[in-house]
Amino acid sequence: MATLLDGKKLSQKICAALKSKIAKIERLKDKKPGLAVVLVGDHSASQIYVAKKEKTAREFGFYSEVHRLPAASEEKEILNLIKYLNESPKIHGILVQLPLPAHIQTQAILNAVSPLKDVDGFHPLNLGRLFIGDPLFIPCTPQGVMELLKEYRIEISGKSAVVIGRSLIVGKPLAHLLLGQNATVTICHSKTKNLEEVCQTADILISAMGKPHFIKNSFVKEGAVVVDVGINRFHHKIVGDVDFENVQKKASFITPVPGGVGPMTIALLLQNTFKSFERSAS
Ligand code: NAD
């Protein structure tokens, strides 16, 4: 039976460490790191994610602002808000909750966030810095996956890693981080032929495709490390991309959903916000 990669536990550890650092700084300097979240429209999953981010930020000692704009907002209104947040001394991290409504050019909005407050790491400058090996902010979900692998001392160098998904948010940066730690990386996507066979070659198999229970036992090599990034609503439950019940019998390590990568994403968001705060103070 696989060992659980417990993201809930590790995220609590990361957040608790941040909380005690913040308490110390607050006592000395009466300042705290601030996170602003911009939510446009009433996408139901986004509302849940934003509420969770706000609650966790407050719980661990951060200052938090959520800006809720109507779905019909014009691009200019969002850009004005971002300009204001870029200049606000109380704010060290800005997160624009995706997806944005279809009439908004997402990339134009992401480009407007100051790279110095881009705690999600989606600004082209931050993605570019990651790719040249001089990262400032790394996207939170891929960074969370790498922290989980590190915590459980999973060897990456020389291993074969298969990443399913090529989004800018998860798949591409994650593949790059694995490559940076000397894995031999294969990226799979919706046009990949023989996905099952490619997955069978993986020492480390990471799925970020958003398809409930798609990754079956037969996709997994005996003893592989399986990381499930997927979050899917399935029969009124939240499940991952991996058929956890069966795959856990074959894998050496596996993330649960929920309680795996999800909480790590929030912890890394707070860690990036704290890092930005420290940079601004130095
Ligand atoms: P996306 O829709 O942008 O990308 C999905 C990727 O999966 C695409 O690159 C696509 O080519 C690939 N794909 C789809 N069907 C496939 C198939 N049959 N075979 C092979 N590849 C296939 O999604 P995303 O934003 O990268 O998110 C992926 C999943 O991760 C979603 O379930 C999302 O909810 C979840 N997610 C979780 C967290 C977290 O904190 N745990 C954060 C971000 C995203």
Side-chain angles (χ1 to χ4, degrees):
M1 211 58 126
T3 302
L4 276 192
L5 296 169
D6 190 340
K8 197 170 167 193
K9 192 164 134 197
L10 178 55
S11 67
Q12 289 285 332
K13 190 167 123 182
I14 293 171
C15 291
L18 291 173
K19 187 176 184 175
S20 67
K21 283 188 200 167
I22 293 169
K24 256 188 226 151
I25 295 170
E26 226 185 333
R27 266 200 309 276
L28 291 172
K29 298 191 185 163
D30 195 26
K31 278 183 183 166
K32 51 160 87 177
L35 173 68
V37 179
V38 177
L39 174 63
V40 187
D42 40 24
H43 192 271
S44 63
S46 292
Q47 308 235 28
I48 297 169
Y49 295 149
V50 167
K52 179 87 186 145
K53 284 167 189 167
E54 186 183 24
K55 181 169 172 278
T56 314
R58 294 220 167 126
E59 187 183 337
F60 290 99
F62 289 71
Y63 168 71
S64 160
E65 282 178 8
V66 177
H67 296 264
R68 293 182 168 81
L69 299 178
S73 302
E74 283 180 25
E75 207 165 291
K76 197 148 183 268
E77 289 172 65
I78 309 171
L79 290 172
N80 283 340
L81 172 61
I82 289 176
K83 186 167 183 287
Y84 161 77
L85 295 172
N86 281 342
E87 287 161 12
S88 167
K90 280 203 292 199
I91 298 301
H92 306 91
I94 303 170
L95 177 151
V96 179
Q97 186 65 41
L98 302 179
L100 290 169
H103 67 283
I104 305 290
Q105 288 185 65
T106 300
Q107 198 55 55
I109 301 296
L110 297 179
N111 291 357
V113 174
S114 162
L116 300 177
K117 294 190 178 184
D118 171 40
V119 287
D120 246 344
F122 295 161
H123 190 284
L125 197 104
N126 279 319
L127 286 170
R129 285 186 68 155
L130 171 64
F131 274 55
I132 63 164
D134 177 31
L136 177 61
F137 294 116
I138 301 173
C140 304
T141 302
Q143 203 185 346
V145 170
M146 298 307 285
E147 289 294 328
L148 256 183
L149 297 177
K150 186 169 150 205
E151 177 74 7
Y152 286 83
R153 297 172 202 278
I154 293 183
E155 208 184 316
I156 299 173
S157 182
K159 300 289 178 191
S160 148
V162 172
V163 177
I164 314 174
R166 57 176 162 184
S167 71
L168 274 177
I169 295 172
V170 191
K172 279 184 190 156
L174 185 51
H176 195 80
L177 290 168
L178 290 160
L179 184 64
Q181 297 210 8
N182 302 316
T184 302
V185 183
T186 307
I187 305 178
C188 298
H189 47 79
S190 53
K191 301 282 188 289
T192 298
K193 302 252 192 295
N194 308 324
L195 181 69
E196 184 167 344
E197 279 115 84
V198 180
C199 291
Q200 285 163 356
T201 66
D203 300 313
I204 301 170
L205 176 61
I206 304 183
S207 182
M209 66 198 300
K211 298 256 149 61
H213 293 167
F214 193 97
I215 304 300
K216 309 277 185 240
N217 216 7
S218 58
F219 285 56
V220 178
K221 178 158 101 178
E222 193 74 49
V225 175
V226 179
V227 177
D228 191 351
V229 181
I231 299 180
N232 311 291
R233 248 159 249 277
F234 188 60
H235 299 309
H236 307 290
K237 268 174 66 183
I238 298 291
V239 301
D241 294 347
V242 175
D243 173 12
F244 181 88
E245 283 311 312
N246 291 309
V247 171
Q248 66 168 338
K249 295 175 192 149
K250 210 169 179 187
S252 56
F253 290 88
I254 190 166
T255 54
V257 177
V261 178
M264 289 302 294
T265 299
I266 300 189
L268 270 296
L269 171 69
L270 297 185
Q271 188 163 288
N272 281 349
T273 304
F274 184 76
K275 186 174 153 186
S276 171
F277 168 71
E278 274 191 314
R279 276 188 89 254
S280 75
S282 65

